Amino acid sequence: MKHLAGAVIAALMGSAAMAADPGVTDTEIRIGDVNIMTGPASFIGRAVSIGSKIAADEINAAGGVNGRKITIVTEDDGYIPARSFQALTKLLEVDEIFALNGTSGTANVLAMMPLIEENNLPTIVSTAPNELVYDPVRPSVFTLGASYSDAFYAQLKYIHENTQPENPVYGLIRQDDDFGLAVEHGYERAVKDFGVKDGGIVRFKKGTSNFAAEMIQMRAAGVNVLANGGIISGAANILSEARKLGMPLESAQVWSEDMPLSVNLAAQAGYDYYVGDYVALTGDDYDAFVEKAKQYVTADDIAAMNRYTLVTYAALHAMAEAMGQCGQDLTRACTVENLRKLKDFEVGGIMAPISFDNDKQLSGTAIAVYQLDAASKTFTRKTDFADY
Amino acid sequence: MDLFLLFVSTGLVIGASYGLIAMGFALVYKATGVVNFAHGELVMLTAYVAFSLTQAFDLSFIPLMLVTIPISMLIGLALERIFIRPMLGEPVFSIVMVTIGLAVILRGVTMMIWGPDPHNLTAGVTTRVIMIGHLPFYAAQLMSIAALAICTALAWAFLRFSRIGIAMRAVAAHETAALLVGISVKRIHAIAWALSAALAAVAGVLFAMNFKLAPDLWFQGLKSFPAVILGGLDAILGSAMAGLIIGLIENLSQGYIGQGLRETSGFIVIIVVLMVRPYGLFGDKDIERV
């Protein structure tokens, strides 16, 4: 009788726990995605959604998470933090999501943080791996991705050790915001560690198109190794000015510059620039991923894929792994606990294995350096994934 | 000295873009008394129209402009007819608010049609570097400066010698008096919008050729506003000249002082001009501010 009562109480507690955590039924798990689906940065949001779709379809085709199919519920925030908060409120209260796997930009995820913490929402931040997200650590938040600082350090290290330009003078051009500051940290660390000449740091406002004066300053300083902190059109315009001024350059770039649309803009300047990224841009594993993706998304989606597709795909697989380890009694607390224990989780070689079992609940920090061939618009991998 | 000349030459390039955009602002203001806050968006929209034309028909620069300019004028006419004409007789403030609303609509429509991706726009123009003395230029940069010179000359001739240009000056001087002597004010307003859209097309295409085509191109309208204020809101030729001055100020301040001063120097000029000479360097003293 005692055993029976215990079993009944345990069963009631179990169902109460399940009832307490929304977004899970016997057949479905709803995962939220707050994303940039409109506005100038919506190509990122689309790529993120494609990554989620590929991962969800693949997991569902293999039987789901302990028999439950994953459903992705996407809300657009237009890259506006206030709208991110509204979007997550809607996902929590109307769609009743179980976890979150799309978090827009840094300011956006920070805007959503009170809701994430209040609901103990299992969350993987994969598109804004900023220090502000993982320091201080929030119990249910896991971050996937390297810092801009390490990405630039990795590239400058490669340039320093392998290309050895004559009379090297390093220079940095960067945005006057938190992102630019992170780039500057990597640059300063590199200049200090390698003992190279610092030609100077030039800061510019976000949205600047005309970099003529900045690049004239760089040329006057004799800069021939450039840490280019411009993004997309900005990065391309910086290289275009450098070309006009006849500057021989080894250029380190932000990882956004490995996206096809960025390459199309910047390759015109003719520089075989570098990028440091925590996802694979080339190789057998990347090719295998693309082949797999073709089973689940359209040709248009394949064309719109970029690095954000890969990182979001990896993040959803990590989330599914943590949920799967909970068995049938799937709760947010259990998922968070399992994410915290996740170690060396393989994601098909498209990035280094994922491990959140560290103080910062941070993974994917290993960076590979790639070099563009501007003529063919293709990248060659120059280093393995490594932490810097 | 080389450094100074480099700053000046590149300042003239961006200044030419500002000048072309500022002329469009001034043209509509001169004829209608309204600041068209959607002009930057018109610059963006017409550049995207040109981009589609190059994609569809692989047009080189001159044929491209010969097609884009009339299409842009039609767009300008349509916008005036649909959004501005019904507002005739309403307070200027209301019309200005309509142009602000129009700006938001145009941004949304552009994004909806062409998407968020930035593009290269070369229109068959060489991307080789051209040296003039020791100064390097891209062909499209020289074309911007040339386009400003040509548009300024055409605007001067139009306002000085053509019947419509003289009528436009009459409407600007006194709308009621112009009406009484038989000038169709509505027609003049429509023509001003069409010509302003033509200037927007020239400015937009050349800006996109020099600095890429992206959905944030509309922001150049705001960046050009210091030139409109410096030249004088109603001074079409003065705005062109002021564009060059603002471009030079921006580049020299960024080059010699730095610290992102390029982005603020133009607006410092606005404040100083409004305090010292509120009608601008070339504007009429009695213009009405909005």
Side-chain angles (χ1 to χ4, degrees), chain B:
Chain B
M1 189 59 183
D2 268 3
L3 197 64
F4 174 76
L5 289 176
L6 277 170
F7 286 137
V8 168
S9 64
T10 49
L12 290 175
V13 170
I14 189 68
S17 288
Y18 292 158
L20 285 166
I21 298 172
M23 285 175 77
F25 271 113
L27 187 59
V28 167
Y29 185 86
K30 189 174 181 70
T32 67
V34 170
V35 178
N36 173 19
F37 281 102
H39 189 65
E41 283 71 11
L42 204 50
V43 171
M44 172 183 68
L45 177 65
T46 51
Y48 271 100
V49 168
F51 173 71
S52 286
L53 289 169
T54 57
Q55 295 292 99
F57 305 109
D58 196 21
L59 298 175
S60 59
F61 181 74
I62 298 292
L64 175 67
M65 295 317 296
L66 288 176
V67 180
T68 304
I69 289 174
I71 293 174
S72 303
M73 292 174 79
L74 288 175
I75 292 171
L77 282 172
L79 293 178
E80 192 275 338
R81 189 69 189 84
I82 296 166
F83 294 97
I84 306 301
R85 184 81 60 91
M87 298 297 294
L88 264 182
E90 300 293 332
V92 169
F93 180 77
S94 302
I95 305 174
V96 168
M97 290 309 294
V98 168
T99 69
I100 291 172
L102 180 59
V104 177
I105 293 168
L106 291 181
R107 260 179 258 164
V109 166
T110 303
M111 188 73 81
M112 208 164 62
I113 297 173
W114 286 280
D117 292 1
H119 301 280
N120 282 314
L121 178 61
T122 55
V125 173
T126 178
T127 53
R128 279 189 306 137
V129 177
I130 297 164
M131 299 300 293
I132 297 182
H134 294 298
L135 300 174
F137 292 92
Y138 286 121
Q141 296 182 327
L142 294 172
M143 287 160 69
S144 282
I145 297 170
L148 181 71
I150 292 167
C151 289
T152 306
L154 289 175
W156 174 79
F158 171 76
L159 291 169
R160 182 79 178 80
F161 299 115
S162 78
R163 284 176 65 87
I164 296 171
I166 292 165
M168 197 174 279
R169 284 163 55 200
V171 170
H174 201 291
E175 199 169 288
T176 311
L179 200 61
L180 287 172
V181 297
I183 294 171
S184 168
V185 172
K186 286 179 185 171
R187 190 161 157 253
I188 293 298
H189 285 188
I191 290 169
W193 271 79
L195 293 176
S196 170
L199 284 166
V202 177
V205 170
L206 286 166
F207 188 89
M209 287 169 69
N210 282 314
F211 301 106
K212 315 298 178 200
L213 176 64
D216 59 359
L217 207 159
W218 63 269
F219 189 65
Q220 296 309 313
L222 197 61
K223 295 263 340 241
S224 305
F225 212 67
V228 191
I229 300 295
L230 179 65
L233 261 173
D234 60 345
I236 299 166
L237 308 184
S239 293
M241 183 65 72
L244 293 175
I245 295 170
I246 293 291
L248 287 173
I249 289 172
E250 281 190 1
N251 248 29
L252 290 169
S253 60
Q254 177 64 35
Y256 286 114
I257 304 169
Q259 307 302 323
L261 203 60
R262 174 200 286 116
E263 307 306 316
T264 47
S265 57
F267 293 93
I268 294 170
V269 169
I270 283 191
I271 293 169
V272 172
V273 169
L274 286 176
M275 286 164 66
V276 177
R277 199 177 160 92
Y279 42 88
L281 294 180
F282 308 98
D284 289 342
K285 271 189 180 180
D286 59 346
I287 64 170
E288 184 186 344
R289 297 277 161 202
V290 290

Side-chain angles (χ1 to χ4, degrees), chain A residues 226-248:
Chain A
L226 178 70
N228 180 355
I231 301 174
I232 308 176
S233 300
N237 286 335
I238 287 167
L239 293 180
S240 177
E241 283 299 327
R243 174 176 167 251
K244 191 182 79 177
L245 294 167
M247 294 171 71

Side-chain angles (χ1 to χ4, degrees), chain A residues 110-295:
Chain A
L110 292 176
M112 293 187 283
M113 213 54 101
L115 287 173
I116 292 170
E117 290 191 85
E118 186 185 319
N119 290 278
N120 192 35
L121 191 67
T123 301
I124 299 183
V125 177
S126 55
T127 50
N130 192 298
E131 199 174 352
L132 295 168
V133 175
Y134 54 80
D135 188 10
V137 173
R138 281 86 171 180
S140 70
V141 178
F142 299 81
T143 309
L144 194 56
S147 67
Y148 290 115
S149 169
D150 286 354
F152 270 83
Y153 183 85
Q155 294 174 74
L156 295 175
K157 187 171 192 287
Y158 180 84
I159 291 169
H160 174 67
E161 291 173 353
N162 295 281
T163 67
Q164 295 164 344
E166 209 174 318
N167 302 319
V169 179
Y170 284 48
L172 167 66
I173 177 164
R174 61 94 157 169
Q175 273 182 200
D176 63 345
D177 57 8
D178 287 341
F179 151 65
L181 193 60
V183 172
E184 186 172 325
H185 286 157
Y187 171 81
E188 285 186 330
R189 188 176 146 219
V191 168
K192 192 177 163 201
D193 285 2
F194 312 147
V196 290
K197 187 175 175 189
D198 181 4
I201 297 170
V202 178
R203 298 171 185 85
F204 63 89
K205 295 255 181 253
K206 188 179 175 182
T208 298
S209 303
N210 169 27
F211 293 94
E214 286 85 346
M215 292 314 292
I216 291 167
Q217 286 172 304
M218 287 286 161
R219 192 181 87 157
V223 168
N224 54 9
V225 178
L226 178 70
N228 180 355
I231 301 174
I232 308 176
S233 300
N237 286 335
I238 287 167
L239 293 180
S240 177
E241 283 299 327
R243 174 176 167 251
K244 191 182 79 177
L245 294 167
M247 294 171 71
L249 274 187
E250 299 290 344
S251 181
Q253 312 272 133
V254 186
W255 53 58
S256 60
E257 301 318 298
D258 60 42
M259 297 191 296
L261 73 94
S262 305
V263 171
N264 281 333
L265 295 179
Q268 201 177 55
Y271 289 105
D272 294 337
Y273 61 73
Y274 297 89
V275 291
D277 206 334
Y278 52 92
V279 297
L281 306 177
T282 58
D284 294 343
D285 294 328
Y286 176 80
D287 293 342
F289 174 79
V290 175
E291 282 307 310
K292 185 177 358 186
K294 286 176 183 170
Q295 299 172 41

Side-chain angles (χ1 to χ4, degrees), chain A residues 299-378:
Chain A
D300 279 353
D301 288 338
I302 295 287
M305 281 186 353
N306 59 41
R307 60 178 305 284
Y308 293 104
T309 308
L310 277 74
V311 73
T312 312
Y313 167 89
L316 189 55
H317 268 285
M319 183 75 83
E321 173 67 14
M323 293 188 300
Q325 287 173 9
C326 293
Q328 289 302 318
D329 297 336
L330 180 58
T331 63
R332 285 175 177 167
C334 170
T335 304
V336 168
E337 197 52 41
N338 287 333
L339 278 170
R340 217 172 275 152
K341 290 179 199 161
L342 200 69
K343 187 166 179 63
D344 294 334
F345 176 66
E346 289 284 349
V347 280
I350 57 167
M351 64 188 300
I354 298 171
S355 301
F356 288 128
D357 62 335
N358 55 69
D359 292 345
K360 293 178 178 173
Q361 302 185 164
L362 169 69
S363 189
T365 54
I367 286 166
V369 175
Y370 300 85
Q371 186 175 21
L372 174 74
D373 174 27
S376 64
K377 298 182 182 176
T378 56

